Amino acid sequence: MVSNGKLSRRSFLAVAGLGVVSAGLYVALPSRDNGGAQTVTPAQAHALLQAQNLTLIDVRRPDEWTRTGVAPGADLIDLRRDDFVSAVKQAIADAPNRPVAVICAAGVRSARMTRLLTQAGVIGVIDIPEGMTGSRAGPGWLDRGLPVLPYPNES
């Protein structure tokens, strides 16, 4: 289940699917909007990202990245790219067992891309329905005071 102190995607989903609290992480029940994928809050995603237990994919447009900044460590892959799925698969190739979380501005596009990635065979895709700016699911990355870097991310 844990290898080198990190959860595999399959183990993460098994724990998450049971709604188990582990190391301060609680994953909500699957949502119908995102094809039944697991969800996490921005704070949970940030904690997992910091622990290198998550790959974060920001699917917004470059103008949105410029306007709000981006989460440190996020892979920035504009969902409008013709090779979107291939770009995500390339981004996760170095850590194939790590869960993949998808974030957008307010959760609509992340839900859609979560479904698309799951249908394309990507295992362990998680939705962040609050997004960067908030939604009915919650206040979002920015209002939770989580760190952001200016775009382009030059670090």
Side-chain angles (χ1 to χ4, degrees):
M1 181 169 166
V2 177
S3 171
N4 296 329
K6 298 179 183 180
L7 287 175
S8 69
R9 279 188 205 180
R10 192 173 310 270
S11 297
F12 177 85
L13 292 176
V15 171
L18 296 173
V20 173
V21 176
S22 172
L25 171 71
Y26 175 76
V27 178
L29 294 174
S31 164
R32 290 187 319 223
D33 295 342
N34 62 17
Q38 299 297 320
T39 63
V40 295
T41 67
Q44 292 167 329
H46 175 65
L48 288 167
L49 188 60
Q50 295 272 238
Q52 298 183 346
N53 282 331
L54 183 79
T55 299
L56 179 61
I57 307 291
D58 187 330
V59 300
R60 298 176 299 150
R61 300 181 314 266
D63 64 296
E64 294 174 287
W65 299 328
T66 299
R67 189 170 36 256
T68 65
V70 298
D75 287 290
L76 310 178
I77 305 175
D78 186 334
L79 66 85
R80 300 171 302 167
R81 288 177 55 162
D82 290 337
D83 67 340
F84 175 77
V85 172
S86 295
V88 170
K89 287 181 176 181
Q90 183 176 354
I92 65 175
D94 289 342
N97 293 321
R98 189 181 300 163
V100 179
V102 181
I103 193 166
C104 66
V108 174
R109 293 171 290 175
S110 66
R112 197 171 74 226
M113 293 301 101
T114 296
R115 279 193 311 273
L116 176 73
L117 291 169
T118 300
Q119 291 167 355
V122 178
I123 298 170
V125 184
I126 302 166
D127 185 19
I128 305 174
E130 292 181 33
M132 290 294 285
T133 61
S135 69
R136 285 183 282 163
W141 191 282
L142 298 172
D143 281 353
R144 287 180 180 271
L146 297 170
V148 293
L149 295 173
Y151 173 77
N153 183 351
E154 305 211 14
S155 59

